[in-house]
C-alpha cells in the first residue's frame, strides 16, 4: 500500500518503515501517525514479516509532534480526540519485535516514538530530548513515564525540565539505547539484527518480548511468576522440542512457528 508520509520496504522477513517528511524533519503529523499505524497493522498481519525496523533520515528520526499542526488546538480538540497517545500507542502495542534505528534528532514525540519500540539502535549522531517544556507544554506520548523508566528520575527530570538533549554516547551510558552504530551503517545493521530475530521461532520471540515488557508493568514477584508461566508454556510448543533436539543433534533448528 503506498503511503503519503512513510516508505515501507520488505527486506527478507523484515518490514523497514522509513519516516519520510524530510522538509519537516519527520515531524509526526496526524497523517504520519495514521500511516505508521496502518503500516504496523499490515506488518503485524503479514506472516512473511517477523520483525519491524522504524527509521528516519540521517538528520532526523523525528523532531517531535507537528508543532504547526497542533499549535491552534483547543483543550476540547485534544481531549475529545485523546490526542496524542491513543493513536501513537499502536507501535507500543505491536506484538512483533520493533527496533528503532535512530539517527539525528529524536526529540519530543520522536524520542517517545523511539521509546515505544522494543529497543533503540542509535547512529553516532543521534540526539535525544524532550524539549516540550521550551514550547509551553509537556511530553504527551509517554515521555515523562518511559524516559524515567529508561534513564532514572534524575536524568529524566533534568531533560524534561530543561529540554536539554542527550547525545548518543550519553544515551548509551544511561541505558536509553542498546548500542551505537556509525550512522552510515545504522539501517543495514538494524535490518540485520531484525532479520536475526525474525529467523527465530516467532511465538517464542513474542513470549520473550511479552515477558521483558512485563518488567515495566508489575512487581518483581509477579513478573518472575509471569515469566515462569510463559517459560512453562514454551514446553507446549513444537519449537521448544525442535530447538532443544537441534542443539543435541548439533544442527540448525528448523522452526515451525508453532
Ligand atoms: N513540528 C513541525 N515542524 C517542525 C518540527 C516540529 N516538531 N521540527 C522541525 N520542523 C520544521 C521547521 O519548522 C522547519 O520548517 P520550515 O523550513 O518550513 O521553516 C524544518 O522542519 C527544518 O527545521 P529547522 O529549520 O528548525 O532545522 P534546524 O536544523 O535549524 O533545527 C531542530 C532542528 C533543533 C530539531 C529544530 O527544528 C527544533 O527545535 N524542532 C522542534 C523540536 C521540538 O520542540 N519537538 C517537540 C515537539 S512537541 C511534542 O513532540 C509533544 C509530544 O510529546 C508528542
Amino acid at each position: 500500500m503506498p503511503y503519503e508520509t512513510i516508505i515501507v520496504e520488505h527486506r527478507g522477513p523484515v518490514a523497514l518503515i522509513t519516516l519520510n517528511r524530510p522538509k519537516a524533519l519527520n515531524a509526526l503529523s496526524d497523517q504520519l501517525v495514521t500511516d505508521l499505524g496502518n503500516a504496523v497493522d499490515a506488518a503485524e498481519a503479514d506472516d512473511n514479516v517477523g520483525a519491524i525496523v522504524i527509521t528516519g533520515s540521517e538528520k532526523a528520526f523525528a523532531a517531535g509532534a507537528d508543532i504547526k499542526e497542533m499549535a491552534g488546538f483547543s483543550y476540547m480538540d485534544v481531549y475529545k480526540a485523546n490526542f496524542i497517545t491513543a493513536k501513537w500507542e499502536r507501535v507500543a502495542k505491536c506484538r512483533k519485535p520493533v527496533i528503532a534505528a535512530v539517527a539525528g534528532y529524536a526529540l519530543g514525540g520522536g524520542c517517545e516514538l523511539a521509546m515505544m519500540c522494543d529497543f533503540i539502535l542509535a547512529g553516532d549522531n543521534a540526539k535525544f530530548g524532550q524539549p516540550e517544556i521550551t514550547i509551553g507544554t509537556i511530553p504527551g506520548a509517554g515521555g515523562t513515564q518511559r524516559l524515567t523508566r529508561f534513564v532514572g528520575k534524575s536524568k529524566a527530570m533534568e531533560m524534561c525540565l530543561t529540554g536539554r538533549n542527550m547525545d548518543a554516547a550519553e544515551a548509551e551510558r544511561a541505558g536509553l539505547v542498546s548500542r551505537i552504530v556509525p550512522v552510515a551503517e545504522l539501517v543495514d545493521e538494524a535490518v540485520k539484527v531484525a532479520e536475526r530475530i525474525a529467523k527465530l521461532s516467532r511465538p517464542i520471540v513474542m513470549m520473550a518480548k511479552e515477558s521483558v515488557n512485563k518488567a515495566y508493568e508489575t512487581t518483581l514477584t509477579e513478573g518472575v511468576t509471569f515469566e515462569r508461566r510463559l517459560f512453562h508454556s514454551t514446553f507446549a510448543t513444537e519449537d521448544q522440542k525442535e530447538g532443544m533436539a537441534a542443539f543435541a543433534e548439533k544442527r540448525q533448528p528448523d522452526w515451525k512457528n508453532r
Side-chain angles (χ1 to χ4, degrees):
M1 190 210 289
Y3 296 99
E4 220 175 281
T5 59
I6 62 173
I7 297 165
V8 180
E9 296 163 60
H10 288 91
R11 296 208 193 161
V14 178
L16 172 63
I17 302 176
T18 305
L19 311 183
N20 187 36
R21 293 187 70 210
K23 287 190 186 139
L25 302 184
N26 294 330
L28 300 159
S29 60
D30 188 58
Q31 184 64 52
L32 191 150
V33 176
T34 302
D35 284 350
L36 181 59
N38 289 338
V40 171
D41 283 346
E44 187 136 60
D46 185 345
D47 284 343
N48 295 317
V49 173
I52 300 166
V53 172
I54 301 179
T55 194
S57 68
E58 283 199 8
K59 174 155 187 193
F61 176 73
D66 192 314
I67 300 169
K68 294 167 189 167
E69 194 174 79
M70 69 181 163
F73 287 169
S74 70
Y75 173 73
M76 271 306 139
D77 292 333
V78 295
Y79 181 75
K80 282 197 210 151
N82 207 7
F83 184 72
I84 220 163
T85 314
K87 242 189 200 180
W88 292 41
E89 288 284 333
R90 180 64 190 93
V91 172
K93 296 215 175 334
C94 182
R95 296 180 75 204
K96 291 183 177 175
V98 187
I99 301 174
V102 173
Y105 295 111
L107 302 182
C111 187
E112 291 167 307
L113 174 62
M115 291 190 291
M116 285 181 204
C117 299
D118 294 317
F119 59 93
I120 303 172
L121 289 181
D124 48 18
N125 70 342
K127 289 179 204 68
F128 298 87
Q130 298 290 164
E132 290 88 344
I133 199 88
T134 66
I135 56 165
T137 186
I138 69 168
T144 61
Q145 304 305 299
R146 289 198 176 91
L147 187 63
T148 308
R149 283 164 168 78
F150 274 104
V151 306
K153 178 179 169 186
S154 202
K155 216 176 253 296
M157 193 67 96
E158 188 204 345
M159 288 176 69
C160 291
L161 296 190
T162 66
R164 174 177 83 78
N165 293 346
M166 253 195 236
D167 65 15
E170 184 180 1
E172 187 186 33
R173 279 198 306 278
L176 178 59
V177 309
S178 67
R179 64 196 161 85
I180 301 173
V181 178
V183 68
E185 295 161 26
L186 176 68
V187 172
D188 286 345
E189 178 62 17
V191 169
K192 207 161 95 189
V193 175
E195 197 164 21
R196 178 181 169 150
I197 297 168
K199 286 182 173 161
L200 295 166
S201 163
R202 303 266 171 92
I204 303 295
V205 163
M206 283 164 74
M207 288 184 201
K209 166 169 171 160
E210 209 176 333
S211 197
V212 173
N213 278 335
K214 200 70 171 179
Y216 287 93
E217 305 287 353
T218 191
T219 64
L220 181 60
T221 305
E222 282 176 14
V224 169
T225 304
F226 179 83
E227 178 197 81
R228 193 173 312 130
R229 294 293 170 247
L230 274 188
F231 168 69
H232 292 163
S233 68
T234 65
F235 286 79
T237 66
E238 286 183 27
D239 284 345
Q240 173 271 331
K241 299 286 170 287
E242 169 62 11
M244 294 191 186
F247 175 80
E249 292 160 17
K250 300 188 187 301
R251 61 173 174 80
Q252 288 301 310
D254 177 16
W255 304 117
K256 299 288 185 255
N257 296 325
R258 286 197 292 264

